[in-house]
Short mmCIF file of all heavy atoms in Angstrom, two decimals:
data_model
loop_
_atom_site.label_atom_id
_atom_site.label_comp_id
_atom_site.label_asym_id
_atom_site.label_seq_id
_atom_site.Cartn_x
_atom_site.Cartn_y
_atom_site.Cartn_z
N GLY A 184 -29.98 35.52 -31.21
CA GLY A 184 -31.44 35.18 -31.33
C GLY A 184 -32.00 34.55 -30.09
O GLY A 184 -33.21 34.98 -29.87
N SER A 185 -31.23 33.78 -29.38
CA SER A 185 -31.79 33.18 -28.14
C SER A 185 -32.05 34.30 -27.20
O SER A 185 -33.05 34.22 -26.30
CB SER A 185 -30.82 32.15 -27.54
OG SER A 185 -30.61 31.15 -28.44
N SER A 186 -31.29 35.32 -27.04
CA SER A 186 -31.40 36.37 -25.98
C SER A 186 -32.37 37.43 -26.44
O SER A 186 -33.04 38.07 -25.52
CB SER A 186 -30.03 36.97 -25.67
OG SER A 186 -29.51 37.69 -26.86
N ILE A 187 -32.40 37.59 -27.74
CA ILE A 187 -33.33 38.73 -28.18
C ILE A 187 -34.85 38.21 -28.08
O ILE A 187 -35.64 38.94 -27.39
CB ILE A 187 -33.08 39.14 -29.66
CG1 ILE A 187 -31.64 39.83 -29.77
CG2 ILE A 187 -34.11 40.06 -30.18
CD1 ILE A 187 -31.59 41.07 -28.99
N SER A 188 -35.18 37.18 -28.66
CA SER A 188 -36.49 36.60 -28.59
C SER A 188 -37.66 37.49 -29.10
O SER A 188 -37.42 38.68 -29.38
CB SER A 188 -36.88 36.26 -27.14
OG SER A 188 -37.29 37.35 -26.33
N GLY A 189 -38.76 36.95 -29.35
CA GLY A 189 -39.87 37.66 -29.80
C GLY A 189 -40.45 38.77 -28.89
O GLY A 189 -40.85 39.77 -29.25
N VAL A 190 -40.13 38.63 -27.63
CA VAL A 190 -40.49 39.61 -26.49
C VAL A 190 -39.72 40.94 -26.90
O VAL A 190 -40.35 41.94 -26.98
CB VAL A 190 -40.14 39.17 -25.14
CG1 VAL A 190 -40.37 40.22 -24.14
CG2 VAL A 190 -40.99 37.92 -24.80
N THR A 191 -38.35 40.83 -27.05
CA THR A 191 -37.62 42.07 -27.39
C THR A 191 -38.00 42.63 -28.74
O THR A 191 -38.29 43.86 -28.89
CB THR A 191 -36.08 41.71 -27.37
OG1 THR A 191 -35.80 41.06 -26.29
CG2 THR A 191 -35.22 43.01 -27.67
N PHE A 192 -38.45 41.75 -29.72
CA PHE A 192 -38.74 42.19 -31.04
C PHE A 192 -40.00 43.16 -30.97
O PHE A 192 -40.05 43.95 -31.86
CB PHE A 192 -39.09 41.02 -31.87
CG PHE A 192 -38.75 41.10 -33.35
CD1 PHE A 192 -37.49 40.95 -33.83
CD2 PHE A 192 -39.74 41.50 -34.22
CE1 PHE A 192 -37.16 41.05 -35.14
CE2 PHE A 192 -39.56 41.59 -35.51
CZ PHE A 192 -38.15 41.47 -35.87
N VAL A 193 -40.95 42.90 -30.04
CA VAL A 193 -42.13 43.81 -30.14
C VAL A 193 -42.10 44.68 -28.94
O VAL A 193 -42.58 45.82 -28.98
CB VAL A 193 -43.44 42.92 -30.19
CG1 VAL A 193 -43.51 42.20 -31.55
CG2 VAL A 193 -43.64 42.05 -28.96
N SER A 194 -41.64 44.28 -27.81
CA SER A 194 -41.78 45.05 -26.52
C SER A 194 -40.80 46.13 -26.42
O SER A 194 -41.13 47.23 -25.89
CB SER A 194 -41.67 44.09 -25.33
OG SER A 194 -42.87 43.36 -25.06
N VAL A 195 -39.50 45.92 -26.89
CA VAL A 195 -38.52 47.02 -26.79
C VAL A 195 -38.87 48.23 -27.69
O VAL A 195 -38.93 49.32 -27.15
CB VAL A 195 -37.24 46.57 -27.04
CG1 VAL A 195 -36.13 47.68 -27.20
CG2 VAL A 195 -36.77 45.51 -25.93
N PRO A 196 -39.31 48.08 -28.85
CA PRO A 196 -39.68 49.22 -29.69
C PRO A 196 -40.91 49.84 -29.04
O PRO A 196 -41.12 51.03 -29.02
CB PRO A 196 -39.96 48.56 -31.04
CG PRO A 196 -39.18 47.41 -31.16
CD PRO A 196 -39.14 46.90 -29.74
N GLY A 197 -41.94 49.00 -28.67
CA GLY A 197 -43.19 49.59 -28.14
C GLY A 197 -42.87 50.30 -26.70
O GLY A 197 -43.67 51.26 -26.49
N ALA A 198 -42.04 49.83 -25.96
CA ALA A 198 -41.73 50.63 -24.65
C ALA A 198 -41.06 51.89 -24.72
O ALA A 198 -40.94 52.49 -23.71
CB ALA A 198 -40.91 49.55 -23.76
N VAL A 199 -40.61 52.32 -25.94
CA VAL A 199 -39.88 53.54 -26.09
C VAL A 199 -40.75 54.72 -25.75
O VAL A 199 -40.22 55.73 -25.21
CB VAL A 199 -39.38 53.58 -27.53
CG1 VAL A 199 -38.98 55.05 -27.82
CG2 VAL A 199 -38.19 52.77 -27.78
N LYS A 200 -42.06 54.67 -25.97
CA LYS A 200 -43.00 55.77 -25.59
C LYS A 200 -42.94 56.13 -24.13
O LYS A 200 -42.84 57.25 -23.72
CB LYS A 200 -44.39 55.57 -26.12
CG LYS A 200 -45.30 56.82 -25.84
CD LYS A 200 -46.64 56.57 -26.49
CE LYS A 200 -47.57 57.71 -26.20
NZ LYS A 200 -47.13 58.95 -26.81
N ALA A 201 -43.08 55.14 -23.29
CA ALA A 201 -43.08 55.25 -21.89
C ALA A 201 -41.76 55.65 -21.20
O ALA A 201 -41.66 56.49 -20.36
CB ALA A 201 -43.72 54.06 -21.14
N GLY A 202 -40.77 54.85 -21.67
CA GLY A 202 -39.50 55.00 -21.00
C GLY A 202 -38.27 55.48 -21.76
O GLY A 202 -37.10 55.40 -21.42
N GLY A 203 -38.59 55.93 -23.06
CA GLY A 203 -37.56 56.25 -23.90
C GLY A 203 -36.47 55.20 -24.06
O GLY A 203 -36.80 54.03 -24.32
N PHE A 204 -35.20 55.58 -24.15
CA PHE A 204 -34.11 54.57 -24.35
C PHE A 204 -33.68 54.03 -22.92
O PHE A 204 -32.39 53.52 -22.89
CB PHE A 204 -32.99 55.19 -25.14
CG PHE A 204 -33.14 55.21 -26.63
CD1 PHE A 204 -34.47 55.22 -27.11
CD2 PHE A 204 -32.11 55.30 -27.40
CE1 PHE A 204 -34.73 55.22 -28.46
CE2 PHE A 204 -32.36 55.30 -28.85
CZ PHE A 204 -33.60 55.31 -29.39
N SER A 205 -34.43 54.24 -21.89
CA SER A 205 -33.93 53.87 -20.49
C SER A 205 -33.58 52.37 -20.42
O SER A 205 -32.77 51.97 -19.70
CB SER A 205 -35.02 54.24 -19.52
OG SER A 205 -36.27 53.45 -19.80
N TYR A 206 -34.13 51.55 -21.35
CA TYR A 206 -33.89 50.15 -21.36
C TYR A 206 -32.39 49.82 -21.58
O TYR A 206 -31.84 48.89 -21.08
CB TYR A 206 -34.77 49.38 -22.41
CG TYR A 206 -34.58 47.98 -22.46
CD1 TYR A 206 -34.96 47.11 -21.37
CD2 TYR A 206 -34.00 47.30 -23.60
CE1 TYR A 206 -34.72 45.74 -21.57
CE2 TYR A 206 -33.78 45.92 -23.73
CZ TYR A 206 -34.19 45.14 -22.53
OH TYR A 206 -34.08 43.74 -22.67
N TYR A 207 -31.76 50.84 -22.26
CA TYR A 207 -30.24 50.67 -22.54
C TYR A 207 -29.44 50.80 -21.32
O TYR A 207 -28.34 50.21 -21.30
CB TYR A 207 -29.83 51.67 -23.56
CG TYR A 207 -28.68 51.14 -24.45
CD1 TYR A 207 -28.89 50.11 -25.32
CD2 TYR A 207 -27.43 51.58 -24.25
CE1 TYR A 207 -27.89 49.53 -26.10
CE2 TYR A 207 -26.35 51.18 -25.09
CZ TYR A 207 -26.62 50.04 -25.90
OH TYR A 207 -25.57 49.55 -26.67
N GLU A 208 -29.92 51.46 -20.23
CA GLU A 208 -29.27 51.49 -18.99
C GLU A 208 -29.02 50.01 -18.47
O GLU A 208 -27.97 49.63 -17.88
CB GLU A 208 -30.07 52.27 -18.02
CG GLU A 208 -30.11 53.78 -18.29
CD GLU A 208 -31.13 54.53 -17.37
OE1 GLU A 208 -32.05 53.94 -16.97
OE2 GLU A 208 -30.78 55.58 -16.99
N LEU A 209 -30.11 49.26 -18.61
CA LEU A 209 -30.10 47.85 -18.13
C LEU A 209 -29.20 47.10 -19.02
O LEU A 209 -28.40 46.24 -18.54
CB LEU A 209 -31.46 47.28 -18.16
CG LEU A 209 -31.59 45.85 -17.63
CD1 LEU A 209 -32.88 45.75 -16.73
CD2 LEU A 209 -31.86 44.90 -18.81
N VAL A 210 -29.22 47.40 -20.31
CA VAL A 210 -28.37 46.56 -21.31
C VAL A 210 -26.88 46.72 -20.88
O VAL A 210 -26.16 45.79 -21.11
CB VAL A 210 -28.68 47.06 -22.74
CG1 VAL A 210 -27.68 46.40 -23.65
CG2 VAL A 210 -30.10 46.61 -23.13
N LEU A 211 -26.49 48.02 -20.53
CA LEU A 211 -25.12 48.28 -20.29
C LEU A 211 -24.61 47.43 -19.03
O LEU A 211 -23.52 46.98 -19.10
CB LEU A 211 -24.88 49.76 -19.99
CG LEU A 211 -25.06 50.75 -21.10
CD1 LEU A 211 -24.92 52.20 -20.68
CD2 LEU A 211 -24.00 50.45 -22.20
N GLY A 212 -25.59 47.23 -18.17
CA GLY A 212 -25.41 46.36 -16.93
C GLY A 212 -25.28 44.89 -17.37
O GLY A 212 -24.50 44.12 -16.95
N LEU A 213 -26.06 44.52 -18.45
CA LEU A 213 -26.06 43.16 -18.95
C LEU A 213 -24.59 42.88 -19.37
O LEU A 213 -24.12 41.72 -19.20
CB LEU A 213 -26.98 43.02 -20.04
CG LEU A 213 -28.47 43.00 -19.65
CD1 LEU A 213 -29.37 42.81 -20.92
CD2 LEU A 213 -28.90 41.91 -18.74
N VAL A 214 -24.01 43.80 -20.13
CA VAL A 214 -22.64 43.57 -20.69
C VAL A 214 -21.62 43.26 -19.62
O VAL A 214 -20.89 42.26 -19.74
CB VAL A 214 -22.20 44.74 -21.55
CG1 VAL A 214 -20.63 44.56 -21.92
CG2 VAL A 214 -23.06 44.98 -22.80
N VAL A 215 -21.70 44.06 -18.49
CA VAL A 215 -20.83 43.76 -17.34
C VAL A 215 -21.03 42.41 -16.81
O VAL A 215 -20.20 41.57 -16.42
CB VAL A 215 -20.92 44.82 -16.31
CG1 VAL A 215 -20.09 44.57 -15.15
CG2 VAL A 215 -20.52 46.21 -16.97
N GLY A 216 -22.36 42.07 -16.68
CA GLY A 216 -22.77 40.82 -16.14
C GLY A 216 -22.30 39.70 -16.91
O GLY A 216 -21.83 38.58 -16.35
N TYR A 217 -22.28 39.84 -18.27
CA TYR A 217 -21.84 38.61 -19.17
C TYR A 217 -20.36 38.41 -18.91
O TYR A 217 -19.80 37.27 -18.97
CB TYR A 217 -22.10 39.05 -20.50
CG TYR A 217 -23.49 38.93 -20.96
CD1 TYR A 217 -24.06 39.98 -21.85
CD2 TYR A 217 -24.44 38.09 -20.40
CE1 TYR A 217 -25.44 39.96 -22.17
CE2 TYR A 217 -25.77 38.13 -20.80
CZ TYR A 217 -26.28 38.97 -21.64
OH TYR A 217 -27.62 39.07 -21.95
N TRP A 218 -19.60 39.51 -18.80
CA TRP A 218 -18.10 39.32 -18.51
C TRP A 218 -17.81 38.69 -17.14
O TRP A 218 -16.95 37.95 -17.06
CB TRP A 218 -17.42 40.84 -18.57
CG TRP A 218 -17.50 41.37 -19.91
CD1 TRP A 218 -17.87 40.73 -21.05
CD2 TRP A 218 -17.18 42.68 -20.26
NE1 TRP A 218 -17.77 41.56 -22.19
CE2 TRP A 218 -17.28 42.83 -21.68
CE3 TRP A 218 -16.70 43.77 -19.51
CZ2 TRP A 218 -17.10 44.01 -22.35
CZ3 TRP A 218 -16.43 44.98 -20.28
CH2 TRP A 218 -16.61 45.08 -21.64
N ILE A 219 -18.69 39.01 -16.24
CA ILE A 219 -18.53 38.22 -14.94
C ILE A 219 -18.81 36.73 -15.09
O ILE A 219 -18.07 35.96 -14.52
CB ILE A 219 -19.56 38.84 -13.75
CG1 ILE A 219 -19.10 40.25 -13.45
CG2 ILE A 219 -19.64 38.00 -12.58
CD1 ILE A 219 -20.16 40.97 -12.64
N ILE A 220 -19.81 36.39 -15.83
CA ILE A 220 -20.05 35.05 -16.21
C ILE A 220 -18.85 34.42 -16.76
O ILE A 220 -18.48 33.30 -16.37
CB ILE A 220 -21.34 34.94 -17.12
CG1 ILE A 220 -22.59 35.39 -16.43
CG2 ILE A 220 -21.46 33.58 -17.67
CD1 ILE A 220 -23.77 35.63 -17.38
N ALA A 221 -18.27 35.18 -17.81
CA ALA A 221 -17.08 34.42 -18.57
C ALA A 221 -15.89 34.23 -17.56
O ALA A 221 -15.19 33.20 -17.73
CB ALA A 221 -16.73 35.46 -19.65
#
């Protein structure tokens, strides 16, 4: 809930028209980044 936030709740679905699922490229990088943190 803390990481998703209201921004993701409305902006990620809305941004699909312009960028498709490209946001998921960034999300895959986030996963690697979280493991570096750990």
Side-chain angles (χ1 to χ4, degrees):
S185 299
S186 63
I187 294 298
S188 82
V190 174
T191 305
F192 210 83
V193 297
S194 278
V195 170
V199 163
K200 183 173 178 61
F204 280 22
S205 63
Y206 182 66
Y207 209 69
E208 298 173 319
L209 184 136
V210 172
L211 294 174
L213 292 178
V214 173
V215 176
Y217 293 139
W218 293 351
I219 292 172
I220 293 167

